[in-house]
Amino acid sequence: MQTIALSDYTIYVGPIETGWQEFLTRKKYTQILVIADENTQTHCLPLLIRALNGQAFDLIHIPAGEQHKHIGTCQHIWQQMLNVGLDRQALVINLGGGVIGDMGGFCASTYKRGVDFVQVPTTLLSQVDASIGGKLGIDFGMVKNSIGVFCNPKAVFIDPAFLTTLSTRELRSGFAEIIKHGLIQDAAQWATIKGISQLDTVDWPKLIVPSLLIKKHVVEVDPFERGLRKALNFGHTIGHAVESFALETSEPLLHGEAIAIGMVCEAWLSQQQGFLSTADLEEISAFFIQIYGHEVLDEANFAAYLHLMGNDKKNEGKKINFSLIGAPGQVHINCSADADTIFASLRYYQQLAG
Ligand code: GLY
């Protein structure tokens, strides 16, 4: 078991039963409530029940998927919390990926002005990103995460055993955030990552811990995203737009797949703005194409992507905000680009096909 201490909570990396026993020595709770979806109820709850070791709990079950991350599902959760008589000395356990962590944490932190909650992220993506840093929320008015709060969990339990329940596609999606962490903050981690060609032989805990240390550093320096935390948005301005657009089609992309496209486009912007060398751009682009393949983006949709970027909550005023990279490990926040340059970055990605 490895522990990573943040200022007000601990991340436990290893078997959840070990972390859970340690956590319970710190505080006693009157009641436990688990929030799960149909996937985590089937595949992950049995492991959590073993860790709880006979402790009673109530279960709230919600449908799986980003399309349910809205106020209607929150109302269902809050109603169930009232129905089971949840009091303010209770603990909520969010068992799932980013949607459960963001929405369950949001419901817990607002119910009766806040009950304690812990994150048990079950996807690689949520293990290395969403469960750390206290961002909670839901989608509203077609804008991802537009309603929410910052509120830290009481602990995060990262058990690599959950990763065995994931498809290669889901692992690859989470890998995108690990790559991002290396590119923006840690050249040595990027050097390790770029040697990877097969995802089925990766020793995930070896990559997860350095990635968590990078995220810990960033969110501790800047918890409310006024400066350095914006670095985590590398790839996300274009990536979120591509993801939101694809979500409305018959072929949605996973978050990391869209962010991988965004990182290639934004690496190109980084090179255009003189931050990144052409050699680094070519190496980064080739790596993403090797791992993620190439997605055809229709030029007819570029204007719609731009419109979605215009709605992004990262923008200030009318400018579209980007976090770009310098030499691996270095980041440049508060950059912007005009529409023609953004379109050119999408065309750069396009021409990487075969
Ligand atoms: N996922 C980006 C952040 O936590 O700030």
Side-chain angles (χ1 to χ4, degrees), residues 129-130 132-133 135 177 180 215 219 225 229 232-233 236:
D129 186 23
I132 321 299
K135 278 189 182 177
E177 297 290 356
K180 180 193 78 181
K215 179 130 191 198
V219 301
E225 200 169 318
R229 188 162 182 170
L232 299 172
N233 296 330
H236 283 60

Side-chain angles (χ1 to χ4, degrees), residues 10-313:
T10 300
I11 306 170
Y12 298 90
V13 186
I16 184 167
E17 53 268 41
T18 316
W20 179 251
Q21 289 313 320
E22 208 278 330
F23 173 70
L24 282 187
T25 61
R26 300 180 179 203
K27 189 166 172 186
K28 298 284 171 255
Y29 289 97
T30 50
Q31 209 178 340
I32 292 174
L33 174 75
V34 178
I35 304 180
D37 64 29
E38 62 249 37
N39 297 328
T40 59
Q41 188 170 349
T42 309
H43 300 294
C44 307
L45 189 59
L47 193 65
L48 179 64
I49 290 175
R50 271 204 299 284
L52 292 178
N53 194 22
Q55 264 176 291
F57 65 92
D58 289 293
L59 179 68
I60 295 181
H61 169 264
I62 60 171
E66 180 79 28
Q67 69 275 29
H68 300 290
K69 192 175 157 183
H70 56 58
I71 192 72
T73 315
C74 292
Q75 284 174 332
H76 168 74
I77 294 172
W78 287 317
Q79 186 61 57
Q80 297 293 313
M81 287 174 162
L82 285 175
N83 291 353
V84 300
L86 204 72
D87 67 44
R88 288 176 74 183
Q89 306 313 315
L91 179 71
V92 173
I93 301 180
N94 296 313
L95 179 69
V99 172
I100 295 251
D102 283 11
M103 185 162 52
F106 177 65
C107 289
S109 62
T110 47
Y111 175 82
K112 295 191 176 172
R113 298 206 175 88
V115 291
D116 284 1
F117 67 95
V118 295
Q119 304 292 37
V120 183
T122 55
T123 61
L124 182 60
L125 187 68
S126 55
Q127 291 193 346
V128 294
D129 186 23
S131 62
I132 321 299
K135 278 189 182 177
L136 309 170
I138 53 168
D139 303 339
F140 183 73
M142 302 277 289
V143 185
K144 267 171 71 79
N145 302 324
S146 48
I147 305 293
V149 293
F150 284 99
C151 181
N152 282 326
K154 291 295 171 212
V156 182
F157 299 94
I158 294 180
D159 190 337
F162 289 125
L163 300 182
T164 60
T165 66
L166 302 178
S167 65
T168 307
R169 191 175 169 201
E170 280 173 293
L171 286 170
R172 197 177 63 152
S173 173
F175 186 40
E177 297 290 356
I178 295 178
I179 300 168
K180 180 193 78 181
H181 287 158
L183 285 173
I184 61 171
Q185 285 285 284
D186 187 342
Q189 167 90 331
W190 164 242
T192 305
I193 288 167
K194 72 186 184 191
I196 293 172
S197 55
Q198 294 286 330
L199 290 193
D200 44 8
T201 56
V202 171
D203 181 352
W204 291 110
K206 275 214 173 107
L207 288 182
I208 288 173
V209 172
S211 216
L212 288 171
L213 291 172
I214 296 166
K215 179 130 191 198
K216 164 189 151 83
H217 168 73
V218 170
V219 301
E220 289 203 319
V221 169
D222 177 25
F224 302 116
E225 200 169 318
R226 298 200 173 106
L228 180 65
R229 188 162 182 170
K230 293 183 187 177
L232 299 172
N233 296 330
F234 171 57
H236 283 60
T237 304
I238 292 179
H240 262 165
V242 170
E243 180 184 12
S244 302
F245 187 88
L247 208 61
E248 304 299 315
T249 70
S250 57
E251 287 177 8
L253 291 170
L254 297 181
H255 176 73
E257 294 170 334
I259 295 316
I261 296 171
M263 283 193 275
V264 173
C265 296
E266 294 181 24
W268 183 84
L269 292 175
S270 307
Q271 185 254 6
Q272 291 293 303
Q273 300 206 3
F275 302 139
L276 185 70
S277 72
T278 304
D280 282 334
L281 171 67
E282 284 171 0
E283 184 177 56
I284 290 166
S285 304
F287 180 72
F288 277 113
I289 298 297
Q290 180 205 328
I291 299 291
Y292 293 89
H294 187 272
E295 195 68 32
V296 176
L297 303 179
D298 188 343
E299 181 135 2
N301 302 329
F302 286 8
Y305 294 154
L306 192 69
H307 180 72
L308 286 162
M309 284 175 228
N311 274 336
D312 199 306
K313 64 187 177 315

